[in-house]
Amino acid sequence: MATRQGIAGGGGTDGVKAIVVRTLKAAGSATRQLDGGLGTALMALGVLVLLLVTAVTSLVGVGLLMAPLALRALHGLAGRERVRLARWGPEVIAPEPPPTALRLALVDPTTRRQARWLVQHATSGLLLGLIGFWLPLLAVRDTAFPLYWRLGPGDPTATSLGVGTAHSWPDALAVSLLGVGWIAIILGLAPGMARLQGRPGRRFLQAGPDTDLSLRVAELTATRAAALDAHATELRRIERALHDGTQNRLVSVSVLLGAARRQVARDPSLADDILERAQSAAEQALAELRSVSRSILPPVLDDRGLAGALSGLAAYCAVPCRIDVDAPERCAASVEATAYFVAAEALTNVAKHSAAAQAGITVRTRGGRLRLTVTDDGRGGADEDGGSGLTGIRRRVAAYDGTLRLSSPPGGPTVLEVDLPCGS
């Protein structure tokens, strides 16, 4: 199932526009990832030098005094890289902390895996980060060359590659074509470079297969607690909806029917008005009962799938909302329901709090994972402690062993990303 729908239903132009916007966003995100990786790669190079100096000086005994500091630097940098990678993808679960004893720490599998990551990140990761940093500068320099080439000294070097000179406008325009080439390289290669830069961290900084299972047990225990909490919260919500709404309506129907029966014996002409009121109360109770049942598992998910259900949400949203769903593989019904309710709550927050002019929902299913992204161009500043329902969303996502990331700086934009296992 693959559906792409614009604000007005989508078309050829809207499809091309969506592809362009998605490509630009992917390249921008990848460039930021590479720049962030450049920062940790420079630190990795420093830590690698420290470890080498420590190893060499250990031959004369001095390095043994430096070893604890070097190991703390290694473990600290590895933790920093896990946090960075979690901002751009699935969370990297840390293994158990290595032992504090120096001899045990040196032979610990976690330390060895972190050392292998350090070498790769300080070399290939640093190179990729430098490329990701320089490519945008080269693109801006060459693309804008016709705007300033006449202002420079005579026979200026034309290209960012340091070759050629510009003597005429055709020469300057030719340089700008090189800038367009740099832009094309960024759009085409930056996402792959970002994935390549982050691959060693996701491979070596993740809890290894030989790690004690107590970490996973603790994680699953927390997930189970979140699931039970979310389940209890949902039951309380349904109970309140039935008690405060449907039950009161049905009590009103019962009272009105009793009054109508008594009125028939006295004055049948007046019983019609009471029966009409009873019918109205019964219809309201039925509507509220339907609303409660839809909040448990929306029938639209079975009828139209996740793409159709999200399109329905977008159609009723007070803020114009773009839908982009690419889900060739179906997920478990409960997982799709979770994605649906997360999107519904997020759009409610957008309409109530963001003052946004436009929102967007993107869904991708790849490799047994469902990734849902809800964005808006509002004022930002979303806070889980502000009563906006984000805590409930996080609990609902955690119940399925998923992850939630929220980016909402003051001034916007707000980006809510949810990653869920598709289930079976």
Side-chain angles (χ1 to χ4, degrees):
M1 174 180 59
T3 300
R4 289 181 174 85
Q5 176 173 327
I7 297 175
T13 304
D14 291 339
V16 173
K17 180 180 178 182
I19 293 174
V20 171
V21 171
R22 187 164 61 250
T23 302
L24 292 175
K25 286 184 177 180
S29 176
T31 302
R32 293 194 298 273
Q33 291 182 55
L34 289 168
D35 291 343
L38 175 61
T40 56
L42 290 172
M43 289 186 283
L45 182 60
V47 174
L48 181 59
V49 171
L50 176 61
L51 287 174
L52 292 175
V53 172
T54 301
V56 172
T57 55
S58 293
L59 300 176
V60 294
V62 179
L64 296 177
L65 300 177
M66 301 170 55
L69 173 62
L71 289 176
R72 284 198 299 271
L74 173 62
H75 300 324
L77 182 59
R80 186 186 184 103
E81 180 70 1
R82 291 188 192 96
V83 173
R84 185 186 76 86
L85 293 175
R87 288 200 299 266
W88 303 105
E91 182 181 4
V92 179
I93 301 175
E96 285 186 341
T100 55
L102 179 59
R103 184 182 298 274
L104 296 177
L106 290 175
V107 299
D108 184 70
T110 298
T111 302
R112 293 201 302 268
R113 290 169 63 86
Q114 290 178 353
R116 294 177 66 181
W117 162 79
L118 185 75
V119 173
Q120 293 193 27
H121 196 55
T123 52
S124 61
L126 178 62
L127 177 61
L128 290 170
L130 289 172
I131 294 174
F133 175 77
W134 281 110
L135 276 179
L137 298 181
L138 300 181
V140 172
R141 193 266 187 197
D142 289 344
T143 304
F145 186 75
L147 301 178
Y148 64 83
W149 75 283
R150 296 294 295 271
L151 303 178
D155 294 334
T157 299
T159 67
S160 54
L161 298 177
V163 296
T165 56
H167 300 286
S168 63
W169 279 106
D171 294 339
L173 293 176
V175 175
S176 69
L177 293 179
L178 178 61
V180 174
W182 293 127
I183 294 175
I185 292 175
I186 294 173
L187 295 178
L189 299 183
M193 291 167 57
R195 289 192 297 270
L196 187 61
Q197 186 191 54
R199 186 175 299 167
R202 297 194 178 278
R203 179 183 177 186
F204 294 115
L205 301 184
Q206 186 81 263
D210 53 350
T211 302
D212 192 341
L213 291 179
S214 61
L215 277 176
R216 186 58 180 162
V217 171
E219 181 186 358
L220 292 177
T221 300
T223 300
R224 177 178 177 272
L228 293 174
D229 191 20
H231 179 65
T233 301
E234 191 68 10
L235 288 179
R236 285 195 298 270
R237 182 191 64 79
I238 295 172
E239 190 275 333
R240 283 197 305 270
L242 293 175
H243 180 274
D244 297 341
T246 308
Q247 179 176 292
N248 288 341
R249 299 290 184 190
L250 292 176
V251 169
S252 176
V253 171
S254 178
V255 171
L256 289 172
L257 288 176
R261 186 178 61 180
R262 291 190 296 271
Q263 192 65 38
V264 168
R266 300 174 188 171
D267 187 354
S269 62
L270 297 178
D272 288 341
D273 180 59
I274 300 176
L275 289 174
E276 184 176 350
R277 290 165 55 193
Q279 181 181 1
S280 176
E283 291 173 351
Q284 292 176 1
L286 184 60
E288 290 175 355
L289 190 59
R290 286 199 190 100
S291 177
V292 172
S293 66
R294 289 194 186 100
S295 69
I296 299 173
L297 186 63
V300 68
L301 280 173
D302 286 333
D303 298 338
R304 302 173 58 192
L306 184 58
L310 293 178
S311 297
L313 280 179
Y316 288 102
C317 183
V319 177
C321 182
R322 176 184 57 82
I323 302 295
D324 185 355
V325 178
D326 185 4
E329 53 183 283
R330 290 296 299 269
C331 297
S334 58
V335 174
E336 291 190 347
T338 298
Y340 173 84
F341 286 123
V342 168
E345 183 67 29
L347 289 183
T348 299
N349 290 340
V350 169
K352 286 184 177 179
H353 309 295
S354 70
Q358 185 171 337
I361 299 177
T362 302
V363 175
R364 297 288 183 270
T365 57
R366 295 289 187 276
R369 309 288 298 186
L370 184 148
R371 293 177 176 85
L372 168 73
T373 304
V374 183
T375 60
D376 70 74
D377 58 0
R379 57 193 172 201
D383 182 11
E384 288 194 39
D385 299 325
S388 59
L390 290 172
T391 301
I393 292 178
R394 186 176 293 278
R395 288 176 179 170
R396 188 186 286 268
V397 170
Y400 285 89
D401 204 13
T403 59
L404 180 147
R405 289 177 297 277
L406 175 67
S407 172
S408 184
T414 296
V415 180
L416 177 72
E417 297 177 294
V418 170
D419 185 281
L420 293 165
C422 281
S424 57

